[in-house]
Amino acid sequence: MVAEPGGPEDQKPQSDEARSAFVPPAGVGRPTAASDDDHPTSEFAIPAGLTAEPQGSGTGSASGPGPASGSDTIGSAFAPPRIHNAQHPPPAFTPAHGSPMLQLTKEAPWQDRMRTMLRMPVAERPAPEPVQKSDETGPAVPRVLDLTLRIGELLLAGGEGAEEVEAAMFAVTRGYGLDRCEPTVTFTLLSISHQPSLVDDPVTASRTVRRRGTDYTRLAAVFRLIDDITTEDVEVSLEEAYRRLAEIRRNRHPYSGWVLTLAAGGLAGAASVLVGGGALVFVAAAIGAMLGDRLAWLCAGRGLPEFYQFVAAAMPPAAMGVALTLTHWSDVRPSAVITGGLFALLPGRALVAGVQDGLTGYYITAAARLLEVMYLFIGVVVGVLSVLYMGLQLGAQLNPEARFIANDRPVVQILASMALCFAFAILLQQDRSTVLAVTLNGGVAWVIYGAMARTGDISPVLATATAAGLVGLFGQLFSRYRYTSSLPFITAAIGPLLPGSATYFGLLDVAQGNVNAGLASLSTAAATALAIAIGVNLGSEISRLFMRVPGAIGGANRRAAKRTRGF
């Protein structure tokens, strides 16, 4: 008999293999559905209260970039920025072929190479290649820094500009293999700092310049020493450098004191002929200048400051001119005598150096140099005005309207200008081999000035600036040819361009009570002096434009001292 479905046979318990592990046992009810809060959530799930961002709309999603703003979205730290494009990625900070390496050409003089280094950011300066040999322990850092400071002291005391002094100090340290050196030059203080490495303490040394003297022969010897230190073919140890530096200091001046006095007289006499004087005026101006020079030497020997030395030196030439006026000689021009004496006293060298420092960005040193020029000029003014006031009280007939008319003797004036430069070069203690070159340079400058101002009726200030520019141009070329400083070829050559006549007539107007006319004439003298300084600097910079730029493979441009637009 077949059992029917639902019969007693169907009520038999089933084995464990016939029952699913997920089926509740008999007698246990099915659990009710729990709420969503009882379910465990995934750590990648979006929390309650936040809505899912559409595909491609977020900036920080790993699914892809999008244009939406990142202020109201949550992004991953590993997501690319919104400006990133995989097809056109931005260029890397360091190019694949590497950064261009800067190398300084050995053909250029050390002055140009070191000026390039100074005007270069510290991070871009190439590592130094030690020129001078040293032992295995490396160079003695304190001795190298001391030698550098002593060389910089001689250059700064000799009248070199701040940038040239820093370039020389930089050349000495790099010649001995010291990297990360920073020289600093002010009017009276020299300092240099050396950083051995990024974790070592820096080494700093300083030196004060207390005495200044003009000796261009000593200046040229220092430049030769620096050139030997920076040259691979010449080995100069520290001991040898110290020995040569001591010889330079001990060497006597090439000209004695009486030769300098005669040169001062010749300079004043040539200047008096340059402004229209004759033979008698030449002798009178020379005697007045020599008396003033010996009086200044006497004041210096007694320890008086330089201001009083200039006051004393300015009085004898002015007294000589007043004395000639009181004699009533018709063929003598007292104004030419006084003007010739002023030519030997105007501080043209300090003025050119001060303006050059200002134009190259050394404003503290430039301000100090110009302040020195002002004090020296005031000393000359005090000395001349004292004598002029005394002469007016004695009845001297000094006419400030008697301006010079000296364009009728061009050959005599050219010869006088060259004689003035020759005497000025001796006063500056120049080497005998440079006297002829600077004499010719001054003669060319006077020819250009005379052709523009007196023949072409061009403004005297503009003519002076042009002639001074040629002086700076030729002086820089001469210095590169001789591998020495440019000062010996420039300073004496600007002697004929100094504003001696404008200074004298301005002081005479002030002494006679014509203050407005006197200030106008003194303003012309100041403008002429600034034109000389700016023209010399501009001529030097123009000459460097035609020289080979030291430095860059691929032809990098020469860096300026400072790039600014007023902010």
Side-chain angles (χ1 to χ4, degrees):
M1 183 176 63
V2 180
E4 295 179 0
E9 293 82 2
D10 295 336
Q11 303 300 324
K12 293 189 299 182
Q14 298 180 353
S15 64
D16 293 338
E17 290 80 5
R19 187 174 60 249
S20 172
F22 298 98
V23 176
V28 178
R30 292 180 176 273
T32 59
S35 62
D36 293 339
D37 296 337
D38 295 336
H39 286 286
T41 59
S42 171
E43 59 182 78
F44 301 102
I46 300 176
L50 293 180
T51 59
E53 190 174 332
Q55 179 76 15
S57 61
T59 61
S61 173
S63 59
S69 65
S71 60
D72 54 353
T73 59
I74 297 180
S76 171
F78 301 97
R82 58 181 176 178
I83 60 174
H84 180 77
N85 191 342
Q87 285 75 23
H88 302 284
F93 181 77
T94 302
H97 57 275
S99 299
M101 182 179 62
L102 186 65
Q103 295 179 350
L104 299 180
T105 58
K106 300 298 184 180
E107 293 81 4
W110 65 265
Q111 297 98 316
D112 294 336
R113 289 188 280 121
M114 293 304 111
R115 282 168 63 96
T116 304
M117 292 289 297
L118 286 175
R119 298 182 178 187
M120 189 184 304
V122 179
E124 299 180 9
R125 292 175 182 172
E129 300 176 3
V131 177
Q132 303 302 327
K133 297 180 181 179
S134 59
D135 53 10
E136 296 180 357
T137 60
V141 174
R143 297 194 66 193
V144 173
L145 297 184
D146 179 71
L147 175 67
T148 303
L149 289 174
R150 291 177 183 272
I151 290 177
E153 178 190 9
L154 284 179
L155 295 179
L156 187 62
E160 275 289 354
E163 188 177 31
E164 296 294 335
V165 177
E166 284 195 2
M169 296 172 66
F170 213 79
V172 174
T173 56
R174 294 183 70 86
Y176 287 103
L178 292 187
D179 196 7
R180 293 180 294 274
C181 287
E182 286 298 330
T184 303
V185 176
T186 59
F187 187 58
T188 58
L189 182 65
L190 297 169
S191 64
I192 187 169
S193 177
H194 169 62
Q195 183 78 27
S197 66
L198 297 178
V199 296
D200 293 331
D201 295 332
V203 180
T204 303
S206 62
R207 195 173 183 87
T208 303
V209 180
R210 304 189 184 276
R211 293 190 59 186
R212 298 177 183 274
T214 303
D215 189 345
Y216 284 174
T217 301
R218 178 179 297 174
L219 197 68
V222 176
F223 268 72
R224 286 194 295 270
L225 174 59
I226 300 172
D227 186 64
D228 291 342
I229 292 176
T230 56
T231 302
E232 296 180 355
D233 300 335
V234 181
E235 182 178 353
V236 182
S237 62
L238 283 175
E239 289 75 13
E240 176 69 16
Y242 269 107
R243 186 190 62 80
R244 291 179 57 177
L245 193 62
E247 290 180 355
I248 293 173
R249 286 180 175 274
R250 287 196 301 264
N251 280 349
R252 298 179 60 87
H253 300 301
Y255 310 106
S256 63
W258 285 104
V259 173
L260 298 181
T261 300
L262 292 176
L267 190 154
S272 64
V273 174
L274 194 65
V275 294
L280 186 58
V281 171
F282 178 92
V283 175
I287 294 175
M290 288 189 291
L291 290 176
D293 182 77
R294 298 316 300 177
L295 188 59
W297 276 87
L298 180 62
C299 294
R302 294 297 184 270
L304 291 178
E306 198 171 12
F307 174 83
Y308 300 105
Q309 298 176 28
F310 271 75
V311 173
M315 295 178 71
M320 187 66 67
V322 171
L324 291 177
T325 303
L326 294 175
T327 58
H328 302 288
W329 285 2
S330 59
D331 56 343
V332 176
R333 304 183 64 177
S335 56
V337 175
I338 301 176
T339 301
L342 289 178
F343 266 86
L345 298 176
L346 294 179
R349 173 181 59 87
L351 177 66
V352 171
V355 174
Q356 181 179 359
D357 287 342
L359 294 176
T360 52
Y362 295 83
Y363 300 116
I364 297 178
T365 308
R369 288 186 188 271
L370 294 179
L371 187 62
E372 180 191 30
V373 170
M374 185 188 72
Y375 272 103
L376 298 182
F377 184 76
I378 291 177
V380 175
V381 169
V382 170
V384 174
L385 279 181
S386 301
V387 176
L388 291 182
Y389 275 121
M390 189 179 300
L392 292 176
Q393 297 299 323
L394 295 176
Q397 301 296 324
L398 298 173
N399 185 14
E401 301 297 331
R403 302 294 177 178
F404 298 133
I405 303 175
N407 56 354
D408 54 344
R409 302 182 303 171
V411 177
V412 175
Q413 291 173 349
I414 293 174
L415 294 178
S417 65
M418 296 177 67
L420 190 154
C421 294
F422 180 82
F424 204 172
I426 295 178
L427 280 176
L428 295 175
Q429 301 279 3
Q430 290 191 198
D431 187 65
R432 293 177 175 85
S433 60
T434 63
V435 172
L436 179 59
V438 71
T439 301
L440 295 177
N441 198 10
V444 172
W446 180 256
V447 169
I448 298 300
Y449 170 80
M452 295 181 63
R454 298 184 176 178
T455 304
D457 292 331
I458 300 176
S459 171
V461 176
L462 179 60
T464 301
T466 304
L470 290 177
V471 168
L473 175 63
F474 293 147
Q476 198 65 234
L477 296 178
F478 278 132
S479 68
R480 291 302 183 266
Y481 175 73
R482 297 289 299 273
Y483 291 95
T484 184
S485 172
S486 61
L487 288 182
F489 303 98
I490 291 178
T491 305
I494 65 174
L497 304 177
L498 294 176
S501 59
T503 303
Y504 163 69
F505 286 116
L507 297 179
L508 183 58
D509 281 323
V510 172
Q512 292 183 346
N514 302 323
V515 179
N516 293 332
L519 291 179
S521 184
L522 291 177
S523 300
T524 303
T528 304
L530 290 177
I532 293 174
I534 296 175
V536 167
N537 181 265
L538 183 60
S540 300
E541 295 296 329
I542 290 176
S543 67
R544 293 189 179 98
L545 294 178
F546 300 100
M547 297 177 183
R548 181 176 180 179
V549 178
I553 299 177
N557 294 327
R558 174 175 173 264
R559 296 181 183 271
K562 190 176 183 180
R563 294 172 184 260
T564 180
R565 288 195 172 97
F567 51 84

